[in-house]
Amino acid sequence: MAARRAQAVGSEQTWLEAAQAFIQETLCPAGKEPTIQFTQLVIDCVKTTWLSQGKNQGFTLPLSYSFVSVQDLKSHQHLPCCSHLSWSSTAYQAWAQEAGLSGTALPRERLLLLGTLTDLPEDLEQGCRNGSLYVKDNTGILGCELIDLDLSWLGHLFLFPSWSYLPPAKWNSSGEGHLELWGVPVPVFPLTISTGPPTPIPVLYPEAASRLLRHRSKLRVMRPNLAGKLVRLSALVKSKKKAYFIVSLGELSPPGSQAGGHVSIIVQVPAQLVWHQALWPGRAYVLTELRASKIHGHRYRVWTTNPSSHLLPLKPECVRELDLDLELGRTLLEADPKPLPRTSNIQDRQEQKGLSRDSRLLSYTGTVTGVLNQPAGLYELDGQLGLCLSYQQFHGLRRVVRPGVCLELQDVHLLQSVGGGTRRPVLAACLRGAVLLRGFSRQKPETQSSLQVWGASLYEQLVWERQLGLPLYLWVTKALEELACKLCPHVLRHHQFLQCASPGSPSLGLQLLAPTLDVLAPPCVPSRNAHKEILEEPHCCPLQKYTRLQTPCSFPTLAALKEEGQCRAWTSFDPKTLLSAPEVSHLTSCQLNQRLAWSWLCLLPSTFHPAQVLLGVLVASSHKGCLQLRDQSGSLPCLLLNKHSQPVTDPRLIGCLVRAERFQLVIERNVRSNFPSWKELSMAGFIQEQRARVYVQFFLADALIWPMPRPSLHSATSSTPPQTEPTLPEGAHIGQSRLFLLSHKEALMKRNFCVPPGASPEVAKPTLSFHISGSWLGGTQRKEGTGWGPPELKGDENKDQKVLLIFIGPSVRWFEFLHPGQVYRLVAPGPPTPALFEEGGSSCISQRPLELAGCTSCLTVQDAWTLELERSQDIPDMPSINKALPESSLTDLLSDNVTDSLVSFSAEILSRTLCEPLPAATWTKPGSTEARRGCVKITVAVETADCEFPPHLDIYIEGPHLPPPLGLLPGARVYFNQLEKRVSRSHNVYCCFQSSTYMQVLSFPPETPVSVPLPHVYLARLLQGGQTPFQAVASCHIVSVFSLQLLWVCAHCTSLSIQGRCTHQGSTCPTQTSVSQASIRLLVEDGTAEAVVTCRNHHVAAALGLCPSEWVSLLELVRGPGKVALQFIGPGAQPESSAKTDEPLTLFLRTLCTSLSVLRPIVLSFELERKPSKIIPLEPPRLQQFQCGKLPLLTHVNPRIQLSCLSIQEPEHSSSLGAFASSCSETATVA
């Protein structure tokens, strides 16, 4: 026991020596010698506080605690901590356990903090006070927060028994930490207790002070003292010129009585700004020696303090009410007692009565439970309310507010149903209200991301300069968060994106929102008037009135947009709706699955709620050769047009930030299915595979474009360092280039190239590449400063120097920017190399193809080389360039001349389907996978200037050109260059993609499909030479029926099905489902000519005049025999089926086909059976003899026109002709 006591005595001695050294160095006033009395007072203060806990375990000194200076906290304390001298370990554990329920409690450090409490920043003049509090010692000064300040504490030395320290965030290297002073500080020296003035202070109460303001002559000689209860405390307003706040004193009405008026006092003396932290609403105060002043922008005089004014607590025994009747005579009583007139905004209320709402003013005390956006001043209160502090200047409070902080909100606005994506009610404080700190947080601050740190100045600009209302402000903060998540930190740093706008440096965040903000909230010239907002009645501020905001738009990530597009595409994928309802029941399994194999969906921004805005960095893929938009979430392929029919040609667009409100989100669906028949279309189990290709297409004229810094571009476009920039630091300043005119570009596809020396031939694989051919324009030019020097003169410059450029590997990224008719500059960075662009030794093409292409040299474009677009008018001695797209004439296109098999034309895509592959070409090996792959068939309407009715043509894409390029969609206009023209065995012209094919999309499908009615023609028009429509409408009359065939076939193998069973010998069909098929050939005439019309499947029912139920009944009758075929030769019919001619079904059909129900007027929509692409000549008119009585007549007869039925409709003026058909159907049913 004695040994333990001796050890304790030794420890106390050591502790006392360290304490004395610390006190003399840190706390002793500057310029004074340290005294034993001063040191002992400090130690006694610490000892008294330590012993007050009652559980000191017999130690009279806090030996486990060490003294800490302000400088030590700044330099060595890098983690948040707290210290509680008078607390036991049990008390701290209980305190920390309560904090740990919703977060991590502040760790405890055993430190002793002493310092002088002051409102004067270090080494600054008295006029630089801003109302903040500081703790100061000889080593430095540190900002602090105190909940209940007594003004008499300022300038005195204190021991702080309970405090917490929050160091600056890691990102804020120039910032400083701050102290949170929990308990009442303990003075080292006894404070002087004020006994009050020797005589009572004469005071005016609010009502009399308000009346006195209206007497200007009396105000010059009076500086009254005002007394009253604090009913309102405004925010501390800090402007460029000065800082101030306004207090409002009310009458001392007893509890339960109705309060009277109040008087406002402006406190703007710098030394008095600290009063803001000492004032408590509800307490009574006296403000001395006030004067009346006229405030700019405010029509009435108000009371203001002066440097000699004081703030005192109101004690009834220390004041007396000033009798104005004795002081000023009776003139004041005889004055008009009417209150000051108030400004009215009745007109504004009437204008906004419809949609606007009034917020509600209230006071509220609650606990912060979440930080929504600290720079924007958005928090969560009590887990239920939103809190917005951005309409005040809360710079000092921002560092304190975190989960666990208790706040008292005076005169804040309650806004409900604000919209804009915010669902909870929001409390928002304007300048009139006060946000008072009532309790510190026990929780340790969470590590903040860059998004939670930057942007405070930008958000203040939105509130103070743009004067956004709260609903719009909440949406803007949410939109900026979305944009930051898309672009930061790889495209831009957060501080770059959220920087405050200035005249020379506009904010990128606001630029992206400007198209929407300028409509919803045009820029305001006058900024907020703080005096008017606080003083005037009725209250008017940006929070007073609001309108529920319908979210104008959102900025989804590209990954989210892609996922949403795929989700909608597959949700809307319904095989029943993709196929024509009347036709689907007649399709075989192969036809059914083939038509479902490809479909597409186009989504416009207006189909999303809210509307989506496309945003991303434009990059060129070196793996696929297409353009892409990229953000933090991923990439999305895109198809761009500069404007209508104009491609994108400027490579400087790479790396630019693109924003588009008008775009088309295209989802191409590829489905592999094995539906047995149409009856199983609702069963998803028959879908074997689903794949989707998603991309966007838009015009650059509809987009906003911002160049981005190159260093930030690199990390956004690729996970590896970019290859387009030279690796040498001086590479940007040296290099060489050469101009060339592009004349032709070939397809982007996988090609075979020669194997490099030493490599095994077996490992060579086709590589994605493309070729362009053109002509050099002048010689090589070297970099000179920021421009290019004169071209080198070599050889015969007048000779046409044709060149073939090969783009392979990463250089395929230039594919989308290269187009015929444009002049480009090929740039090779780095030190000059002689004959770099003249020699083609590095290429992998033999001399023979070069001779065939008419090129003298071949050059492989290196990965590090870049391209620049040049304007032809900037090039001296530039020959004229014809930029018109070359097109073949219609005669060459539809001729049987095979010597010129490459054709070019513009066309509109009518349809796109998947079909069986074409017969293997000569280069395809038998049995290879290329020969067995599918094929894409595109039907187009060729655009020709001299053709009123454009001919239809089929284009096939197969082999290495699959999948097809982006943009080949029905409704799009496309230019095709050097397609291979072929002639089928039925003498129809069709085209195929080849390696030399160049394709350019001219326009996108229209956003709203335009239905163009078919032309109404006479049949004789189809016999005339020249232009005839491929599809048209004619009003005609059915003369007779040539043939009729009804049958049932196996849905799998298409063999005849009798009584629902397939008749194919050795059939291994997986299903016994059968489908009906029908055809009828009719002779029609319209008075000008005759035509033979072939109707199939459901059109047969319309030709026979049968309703759907009658048609179904008829087909069921045919299911038994499996097939009924009739050939009508003159009167009567000869059946071609196993049924006898006198069977009821045959009799019914023969009777029906010769009745007036069939032989009637109709409106026929048709297409020519002979395609416009058929190249054999028309059959000439033939001589035919007719008998007219006894006289034979010989005349020329035109061949009958062959038509295919598209639809049959009844003429509007015809009467009902279905009575006979109904009677016949009844007879057939009875039979």
Side-chain angles (χ1 to χ4, degrees):
M1 190 73 178
R4 180 181 178 185
R5 183 169 182 80
Q7 183 180 3
V9 171
S11 299
E12 289 182 359
Q13 185 64 31
T14 304
W15 188 91
L16 287 172
E17 292 176 358
Q20 292 174 359
F22 174 83
I23 293 169
Q24 294 175 5
E25 180 182 355
T26 307
L27 301 179
C28 185
K32 294 184 179 180
E33 291 294 331
T35 62
I36 299 176
Q37 183 182 4
F38 177 80
T39 304
Q40 191 61 41
L41 284 173
V42 174
I43 295 175
D44 290 344
C45 179
V46 173
K47 182 188 296 186
T48 303
T49 307
W50 162 256
L51 295 176
S52 65
Q53 67 174 330
K55 296 181 180 180
N56 46 43
Q57 299 178 353
F59 294 100
T60 59
L61 292 173
L63 301 181
S64 60
Y65 284 77
S66 59
F67 289 88
V68 63
S69 66
V70 169
Q71 185 60 38
D72 289 339
L73 283 178
K74 289 182 177 181
S75 304
H76 306 298
Q77 189 62 40
H78 302 300
L79 297 176
C81 67
C82 67
S83 180
H84 303 281
L85 177 60
S86 59
W87 285 15
S88 64
S89 298
T90 305
Y92 170 75
Q93 291 174 1
W95 178 85
Q97 188 174 4
E98 293 181 8
L101 297 176
S102 55
T104 304
L106 286 167
R108 184 182 186 183
E109 297 288 345
R110 298 181 181 272
L111 299 173
L112 295 174
L113 177 66
L114 294 97
T116 302
L117 192 64
T118 180
D119 64 334
L120 183 64
E122 186 177 14
D123 299 331
L124 295 178
E125 300 178 357
Q126 297 285 336
C128 295
R129 293 175 175 175
N130 56 11
S132 301
L133 287 176
Y134 304 90
V135 172
K136 180 180 180 181
D137 63 14
N138 294 343
T139 64
I141 192 169
L142 195 60
C144 69
E145 296 290 339
L146 187 63
I147 292 178
D148 192 3
L149 173 67
D150 189 331
L151 294 178
S152 63
W153 296 348
L154 296 177
H156 293 277
L157 180 64
F158 287 94
L159 166 68
F160 303 103
S162 294
W163 53 272
S164 56
Y165 173 70
L166 301 178
K170 294 181 179 179
W171 53 266
N172 190 4
S173 59
S174 61
E176 291 186 350
H178 71 280
L179 290 166
E180 297 174 346
L181 306 180
W182 287 71
V184 177
V186 180
V188 174
F189 303 100
L191 298 178
T192 304
I193 301 176
S194 175
T195 58
T199 58
I201 301 176
V203 297
L204 290 177
Y205 287 100
E207 183 179 355
S210 298
R211 290 160 54 196
L212 183 60
L213 281 175
R214 294 193 288 272
H215 289 263
R216 299 183 181 180
S217 59
K218 307 299 180 183
L219 294 176
R220 297 176 183 175
V221 297
M222 287 195 65
R223 288 199 173 183
N225 308 315
L226 266 60
K229 182 174 66 175
L230 182 61
V231 296
R232 181 182 300 155
L233 177 64
S234 79
L236 182 60
V237 182
K238 298 179 181 179
S239 64
K240 296 180 179 179
K241 297 182 179 179
K242 56 182 157 181
Y244 62 91
F245 66 92
I246 300 176
V247 298
S248 296
L249 298 181
E251 298 291 340
L252 297 176
S253 56
S257 63
Q258 186 175 0
H262 63 271
V263 62
S264 297
I265 305 164
I266 299 179
V267 181
Q268 57 187 7
V269 178
Q272 298 168 358
L273 296 179
V274 73
W275 294 1
H276 195 272
Q277 300 202 40
L279 292 167
W280 280 63
R283 295 181 183 178
Y285 297 95
V286 175
L287 280 81
T288 65
E289 298 188 32
L290 304 181
R291 59 185 176 89
S293 300
K294 186 71 172 63
I295 302 300
H296 178 71
H298 186 59
R299 66 177 69 181
Y300 305 113
R301 292 178 177 270
V302 295
W303 294 110
T304 62
T305 62
N306 62 73
S308 60
S309 299
H310 292 87
L311 173 66
L312 304 173
L314 176 59
K315 298 177 181 179
E317 66 274 11
C318 298
V319 299
R320 67 176 178 84
E321 185 175 2
L322 183 66
D323 190 349
L324 292 180
D325 294 340
L326 297 177
E327 297 289 335
L328 304 175
R330 302 194 57 84
T331 56
L332 196 62
L333 298 177
E334 295 173 357
D336 185 8
K338 294 182 181 180
L340 293 175
R342 298 180 178 181
T343 57
S344 176
N345 56 356
I346 298 177
Q347 181 179 359
D348 296 341
R349 291 186 179 184
Q350 291 177 349
E351 291 177 356
Q352 301 178 356
K353 186 176 180 181
L355 297 177
S356 66
R357 307 180 183 184
D358 289 319
S359 61
R360 178 184 173 189
L361 275 175
L362 50 82
S363 297
Y364 184 87
T365 301
T367 302
V368 176
T369 54
V371 179
L372 305 180
N373 188 330
Q374 183 174 351
L378 300 178
Y379 303 90
E380 181 188 68
L381 209 59
D382 293 334
Q384 299 177 347
L385 299 172
L387 174 63
C388 178
L389 302 180
S390 58
Y391 288 83
Q392 286 192 355
Q393 297 168 323
F394 67 114
H395 304 286
L397 200 59
R398 181 185 284 116
R399 63 186 182 181
V400 180
V401 178
R402 64 182 187 276
V405 167
C406 182
L407 298 176
E408 180 183 349
L409 309 174
Q410 291 286 334
D411 293 324
V412 294
H413 295 263
L414 173 65
L415 295 86
Q416 304 184 66
S417 301
V418 296
T422 303
R423 299 183 179 179
R424 69 180 76 190
V426 180
L427 293 174
C430 67
L431 295 178
R432 172 178 282 196
V435 181
L436 306 175
L437 187 63
R438 291 296 177 254
F440 294 112
S441 173
R442 308 177 184 184
Q443 298 180 23
K444 180 180 178 181
E446 297 180 355
T447 303
Q448 294 179 319
S449 64
S450 299
L451 179 61
Q452 298 171 318
V453 168
W454 301 104
S457 300
L458 176 63
Y459 293 118
E460 288 183 6
Q461 187 178 26
L462 292 172
V463 171
W464 288 87
E465 296 183 15
R466 295 297 294 260
Q467 299 189 41
L468 299 187
L470 183 64
L472 185 56
Y473 176 75
L474 294 178
W475 174 80
V476 169
T477 59
K478 184 179 179 181
L480 288 175
E481 287 183 16
E482 290 181 354
L483 293 171
C485 291
K486 284 172 61 66
L487 302 177
C488 303
H490 294 306
V491 178
L492 275 177
R493 300 301 180 189
H494 284 90
H495 69 275
Q496 292 177 311
F497 177 73
L498 295 174
Q499 68 180 357
C500 183
S502 59
S505 176
S507 169
L508 178 60
L510 290 187
Q511 289 183 70
L512 294 175
L513 296 178
T516 304
L517 275 181
D518 291 344
V519 174
L520 297 177
C524 300
V525 177
S527 57
R528 289 171 63 185
N529 188 325
H531 287 107
K532 183 177 180 181
E533 188 172 317
I534 299 173
L535 293 172
E536 286 200 357
E537 295 289 349
H539 178 53
C540 181
C541 74
L543 301 172
Q544 181 64 28
K545 290 186 176 294
Y546 67 100
T547 303
R548 179 178 173 83
L549 177 68
Q550 298 294 332
T551 305
C553 61
S554 65
F555 299 86
T557 62
L558 296 178
L561 185 64
K562 182 178 180 179
E563 183 179 357
E564 177 68 15
Q566 288 180 329
C567 181
R568 292 198 181 197
W570 294 121
T571 301
S572 62
F573 178 73
D574 185 2
K576 292 183 178 180
T577 59
L578 290 177
L579 303 174
S580 175
E583 181 187 14
V584 66
S585 60
H586 304 285
L587 297 178
T588 63
S589 177
C590 180
Q591 294 171 329
L592 199 67
N593 294 309
Q594 201 171 62
R595 297 197 183 188
L596 294 175
W598 183 87
S599 59
W600 69 294
L601 177 69
C602 180
L603 298 176
L604 301 177
S606 58
T607 60
F608 297 90
H609 300 286
Q612 310 283 285
V613 176
L614 187 66
L615 184 72
V617 177
L618 186 66
V619 298
S621 172
S622 60
H623 302 289
K624 298 181 180 180
C626 66
L627 295 178
Q628 294 178 338
L629 287 177
R630 288 188 184 175
D631 63 9
Q632 293 282 97
S633 65
S635 62
L636 188 61
C638 60
L639 179 62
L640 305 184
L641 289 181
N642 192 19
K643 53 185 178 180
H644 192 68
S645 301
Q646 296 295 324
V648 176
T649 57
D650 194 348
R652 291 180 300 176
L653 290 172
I654 295 180
C656 291
L657 185 62
V658 179
R659 179 193 190 275
E661 293 186 7
R662 293 186 59 185
F663 63 91
Q664 295 178 348
L665 180 64
V666 178
I667 305 97
E668 296 184 13
R669 297 175 292 215
N670 292 276
V671 176
R672 189 163 59 89
S673 60
N674 60 348
F675 288 102
S677 69
W678 64 276
K679 296 179 180 179
E680 291 81 14
L681 287 179
S682 59
M683 302 172 65
F686 290 101
I687 297 179
Q688 298 173 318
E689 183 182 0
Q690 290 181 334
R691 290 179 291 105
R693 181 166 72 161
V694 185
Y695 57 94
V696 291
Q697 50 190 23
F698 57 93
F699 292 100
L700 286 181
D702 296 332
L704 298 176
I705 302 172
W706 293 272
M708 302 300 292
R710 284 290 175 181
S712 62
L713 164 66
H714 294 165
S715 57
T717 56
S718 176
S719 58
T720 58
Q723 301 296 324
T724 59
E725 300 291 338
T727 56
L728 297 175
E730 64 273 11
H733 306 287
I734 59 176
Q736 52 190 338
S737 67
R738 194 170 185 183
L739 296 174
F740 69 92
L741 170 64
L742 196 154
S743 58
H744 177 68
K745 180 174 74 169
E746 297 193 355
L748 178 66
M749 56 182 289
K750 289 187 176 182
R751 292 177 170 86
N752 291 317
F753 284 92
C754 61
V755 181
S760 174
E762 287 78 8
V763 300
K765 295 182 179 179
T767 307
L768 190 67
S769 64
F770 70 96
H771 305 161
I772 65 170
S773 57
S775 302
W776 293 119
L777 300 177
T780 302
Q781 298 174 269
R782 294 189 179 185
K783 192 76 172 180
E784 293 182 357
T786 58
W788 296 100
E792 299 177 358
L793 300 177
K794 289 186 178 181
D796 187 4
E797 297 296 331
N798 297 323
K799 183 180 179 181
D800 191 8
Q801 305 177 60
K802 292 187 177 181
V803 64
L804 182 69
L805 298 180
I806 303 174
F807 293 79
I808 185 172
S811 63
V812 300
R813 65 186 182 276
W814 306 111
F815 178 79
E816 291 293 338
F817 295 100
L818 293 168
H819 296 279
Q822 302 291 337
V823 177
Y824 297 91
R825 181 182 297 275
L826 187 61
V827 180
T833 303
L836 179 64
F837 300 119
E838 283 78 8
E839 299 297 334
S842 61
S843 65
C844 299
I845 289 186
S846 61
Q847 191 65 26
R848 178 57 179 165
L850 292 178
E851 295 175 357
L852 295 177
C855 299
T856 58
S857 64
C858 175
L859 188 64
T860 300
V861 177
Q862 304 300 315
D863 297 346
W865 294 1
T866 59
L867 284 175
E868 297 176 2
L869 179 68
E870 293 288 335
R871 295 189 304 175
S872 56
Q873 57 266 30
D874 296 339
I875 304 173
D877 301 329
M878 177 67 191
S880 60
I881 301 175
N882 182 15
K883 295 187 177 182
L885 299 175
E887 295 188 356
S888 306
S889 66
L890 192 60
T891 303
D892 295 337
L893 183 62
L894 301 180
S895 67
D896 56 354
N897 181 13
V898 294
T899 57
D900 187 10
S901 61
L902 297 179
V903 294
S904 304
F905 55 85
S906 300
E908 178 185 352
I909 298 179
L910 302 177
S911 65
R912 171 177 166 179
T913 56
L914 291 182
C915 61
E916 293 297 324
L918 297 176
T922 56
W923 52 267
T924 307
K925 296 180 180 180
S928 66
T929 56
E930 290 293 337
R932 295 192 299 268
R933 289 183 63 180
C935 178
V936 175
K937 173 186 174 184
I938 297 176
T939 301
V940 301
V942 180
E943 297 179 354
T944 54
D946 55 348
C947 185
E948 180 182 359
F949 303 106
H952 293 188
L953 198 65
D954 292 335
I955 301 174
Y956 293 89
I957 308 174
E958 55 181 347
H961 301 283
L962 295 178
L966 303 181
L968 293 181
L969 303 172
R973 292 180 56 250
V974 184
Y975 170 72
F976 299 96
N977 182 261
Q978 293 196 7
L979 287 171
E980 182 185 8
K981 181 181 72 174
R982 299 180 185 177
V983 180
S984 67
R985 286 175 292 183
S986 57
H987 304 284
N988 283 314
V989 174
Y990 66 96
C991 295
C992 294
F993 267 53
Q994 295 298 320
S995 61
S996 61
T997 300
Y998 161 69
M999 187 208 80
Q1000 175 186 326
V1001 176
L1002 301 178
S1003 65
F1004 304 131
E1007 295 182 356
T1008 55
V1010 180
S1011 177
V1012 180
L1014 297 177
H1016 203 287
V1017 300
Y1018 292 106
L1019 294 178
R1021 172 73 181 275
L1022 305 178
L1023 295 172
Q1024 299 174 359
Q1027 303 176 9
T1028 57
F1030 178 60
Q1031 295 178 338
V1033 178
S1035 298
C1036 53
H1037 190 280
I1038 300 178
V1039 178
S1040 63
V1041 177
F1042 284 160
S1043 64
L1044 172 65
Q1045 179 176 269
L1046 306 174
L1047 73 160
W1048 288 81
V1049 298
C1050 175
H1052 181 74
C1053 67
T1054 69
S1055 299
L1056 185 64
S1057 177
I1058 299 177
Q1059 294 182 351
R1061 292 190 298 270
C1062 179
T1063 59
H1064 182 66
Q1065 293 184 356
S1067 173
T1068 58
C1069 299
T1071 177
Q1072 290 298 321
T1073 306
S1074 57
V1075 295
S1076 62
Q1077 294 186 345
S1079 65
I1080 188 172
R1081 298 181 74 241
L1082 308 171
L1083 178 64
V1084 300
E1085 59 87 20
D1086 66 347
T1088 64
E1090 291 182 340
V1092 177
V1093 182
T1094 302
C1095 304
R1096 302 184 187 280
N1097 298 330
H1098 63 284
H1099 295 310
V1100 177
L1104 296 178
L1106 301 178
C1107 66
S1109 60
E1110 294 170 341
W1111 175 243
V1112 172
S1113 300
L1114 177 60
L1115 292 177
E1116 288 300 320
L1117 292 174
V1118 180
R1119 185 187 290 272
K1123 178 180 179 181
V1124 173
L1126 300 177
Q1127 289 281 352
F1128 292 88
I1129 304 175
Q1134 295 181 353
E1136 289 187 357
S1137 67
S1138 57
K1140 297 181 180 179
T1141 56
D1142 56 351
E1143 287 185 353
L1145 179 59
T1146 306
L1147 293 174
F1148 168 74
L1149 292 175
R1150 184 179 61 184
T1151 306
L1152 177 63
C1153 292
T1154 57
S1155 68
L1156 295 180
S1157 296
V1158 176
L1159 310 180
R1160 68 191 191 279
I1162 60 171
V1163 178
L1164 176 67
S1165 298
F1166 62 87
E1167 68 178 12
L1168 300 174
E1169 280 194 356
R1170 174 193 173 95
K1171 293 185 177 181
S1173 57
K1174 205 175 190 69
I1175 59 176
I1176 60 174
L1178 292 172
E1179 182 182 349
R1182 67 182 186 277
L1183 285 173
Q1184 185 172 348
Q1185 182 175 335
F1186 294 91
Q1187 194 71 25
C1188 183
K1190 296 182 179 180
L1191 298 175
L1193 296 177
L1194 190 65
T1195 183
H1196 286 278
V1197 177
N1198 288 315
R1200 286 173 176 167
I1201 309 166
Q1202 305 293 319
L1203 305 177
S1204 293
C1205 174
L1206 297 177
S1207 70
I1208 293 178
Q1209 297 178 350
E1210 304 298 330
E1212 295 180 358
H1213 60 273
S1214 64
S1215 60
S1216 176
L1217 298 175
F1220 183 77
S1222 300
S1223 63
C1224 290
S1225 64
E1226 292 175 3
T1227 303
T1229 304
V1230 172

